[in-house]
Amino acid sequence: MKKILRLLTLIFLLVSTLITINLTSALTINSVLIEPNEISQGDLVYIEIDLKNNGEEDVNNVDINLELQDLPFAPFESSSGYGIAEIKSKKTKSAKFKLITLNNAKSQVYKIPIKLTYFEEDSSQIITKTSLISLEVLSKPVIGVNVEENLLLKGKNNELSIKVINKGLGDVKFLEVESVNSINFDFISSKKVYIGDLDSDDFDTVSFKIFLKEDISDKINFPIKIKYSDSLNKEYSENLNLLINVYTKEKARKLGLIEKNYYIETVLLAITLILAFIFYRIWKTSKRNRTMSNI
């Protein structure tokens, strides 16, 4: 008798579990289609969510909502909610959404919560489920490079400063600036400068110490290579030629870029004044002696 009761209890628990599983998993997200896979600011995103009724009963008044609060996405020509009147047992229906990516979206993976509610046939109980889908935003970093206004002289050691600006919306990592050998100059310092992280709308300055050769033109190229990664660890590389102005010391003086050195002129003037004073004293002494001799 005890064995029969134990067996009936196990059967009851098994049936209860199956009923519970059936109730809690009747309507599920079968698949999600997102186009395009990679999106940027201002892009439209098409999302199609397939809902499958795995239960034995039909479901009614199905509502699926995308929770977009505090996320850089907005409904476009549609709403963030989609309604389906009925999904029959073992059947699949789709909910479709169109979103636009806002201009403040940074490069990262965004998780969008989904809220799903429905009624099972012959039931007044609302069943609610939540899930997540992911959207990946890729914003290519925009790096700007400006040459600082350094005075660069031919035949001299110089320091060339370059400002590197992150003009994009996404932060960059592992930023590195490297130059290469040139027939126009020799490196005194390292040819490679590591910056590291550079936030959006921020800048940093790197400097190279170079010796400019005497027989070069007044405008030369300074080639550099910039390497960095975005916040999703996608790597980028750019080769740039920066046009820089170089001067002889004489031309720089003529243009007023450096002050003229008046040391020699000052020394000559001082010597002239000293000699004039000495001649004046000699002349005055000689005149006094002549006057005394006449008396």
Side-chain angles (χ1 to χ4, degrees):
M1 186 67 179
K2 289 183 178 180
K3 291 183 178 180
I4 295 174
L5 289 174
R6 190 176 297 133
L7 181 60
L8 291 173
T9 302
L10 289 173
I11 293 173
F12 175 78
L13 291 174
L14 180 60
V15 172
S16 299
T17 302
L18 290 174
I19 292 173
T20 302
I21 292 174
N22 186 57
L23 287 174
T24 57
S25 62
L27 192 61
T28 59
I29 295 177
N30 191 47
S31 65
V32 178
L33 176 64
I34 299 174
E35 292 184 347
N37 293 327
E38 295 181 358
I39 55 177
S40 301
Q41 295 89 352
D43 286 352
L44 293 178
V45 188
Y46 299 89
I47 302 174
E48 184 174 327
I49 302 174
D50 287 345
L51 302 172
K52 185 174 182 180
N53 182 2
N54 295 305
E56 298 298 330
E57 297 182 2
D58 299 342
V59 295
N60 303 303
N61 300 327
V62 180
D63 286 316
I64 181 168
N65 289 277
L66 304 181
E67 307 289 332
L68 301 176
Q69 293 86 349
D70 302 321
L71 294 174
F73 305 99
F76 186 81
E77 296 179 349
S78 65
S79 70
S80 59
Y82 194 93
I84 301 174
E86 181 185 51
I87 303 178
K88 293 187 176 297
S89 174
K90 310 304 180 183
K91 297 298 182 179
T92 300
K93 286 192 176 181
S94 299
K96 298 179 181 180
F97 302 90
K98 186 190 292 186
L99 305 181
I100 187 168
T101 311
L102 302 182
N103 290 329
N104 63 346
K106 292 188 175 183
S107 293
Q108 65 183 65
V109 176
Y110 293 92
K111 294 181 178 180
I112 300 180
I114 299 176
K115 184 178 180 181
L116 180 65
T117 61
Y118 60 93
F119 288 92
E120 286 196 334
E121 195 174 60
D122 301 328
S123 173
S124 60
Q125 182 181 4
I126 299 177
I127 299 175
T128 301
K129 294 182 179 181
T130 58
S131 186
L132 290 171
I133 60 173
S134 297
L135 292 182
E136 183 179 18
V137 176
L138 282 178
S139 175
K140 183 179 179 180
V142 181
I143 300 297
V145 177
N146 294 328
V147 177
E148 299 281 83
E149 294 183 1
N150 302 96
L151 176 60
L152 305 175
L153 297 175
K154 299 179 183 180
K156 300 289 183 181
N157 292 338
N158 296 269
E159 184 170 354
L160 174 63
S161 298
I162 299 172
K163 180 184 287 187
V164 184
I165 310 164
N166 183 359
K167 298 180 178 180
L169 291 174
D171 301 336
V172 300
K173 303 183 296 182
F174 313 119
L175 178 60
E176 182 179 270
V177 182
E178 181 180 6
S179 187
V180 295
N181 293 322
S182 171
I183 61 173
N184 295 314
F185 54 83
D186 296 318
F187 281 95
I188 302 172
S189 64
S190 173
K191 295 183 290 185
K192 184 184 296 185
V193 180
Y194 181 76
I195 296 177
D197 296 343
L198 189 61
D199 295 338
S200 173
D201 197 31
D202 198 2
F203 71 90
D204 206 334
T205 302
V206 298
S207 296
F208 297 94
K209 292 183 179 180
I210 55 176
F211 174 80
L212 288 171
K213 297 180 181 180
E214 191 78 45
D215 57 345
I216 59 177
S217 63
D218 293 343
K219 293 181 182 292
I220 63 171
N221 281 323
F222 188 80
I224 62 171
K225 182 177 184 179
I226 302 176
K227 296 190 293 184
Y228 53 92
S229 299
D230 63 17
S231 57
L232 296 175
N233 291 324
K234 185 174 181 180
E235 296 182 352
Y236 298 86
S237 178
E238 297 180 46
N239 292 299
L240 302 172
N241 277 312
L242 306 179
L243 188 64
I244 59 176
N245 297 314
V246 296
Y247 305 89
T248 61
K249 187 176 287 187
E250 292 74 18
K251 186 174 182 180
R253 285 200 186 103
K254 288 180 181 179
L255 295 174
L257 299 176
I258 56 176
E259 293 183 2
K260 187 176 181 180
N261 192 342
Y262 293 98
Y263 175 76
I264 296 177
E265 290 85 346
T266 302
V267 171
L268 291 175
L269 178 61
I271 292 173
T272 301
L273 292 174
I274 292 170
L275 290 174
F277 177 74
I278 292 172
F279 287 135
Y280 172 75
R281 292 298 299 269
I282 293 172
W283 173 79
K284 191 171 183 179
T285 301
S286 176
K287 183 179 179 181
R288 185 185 304 119
N289 290 337
R290 287 197 301 270
T291 301
M292 292 293 295
S293 62
N294 292 333
I295 296 175

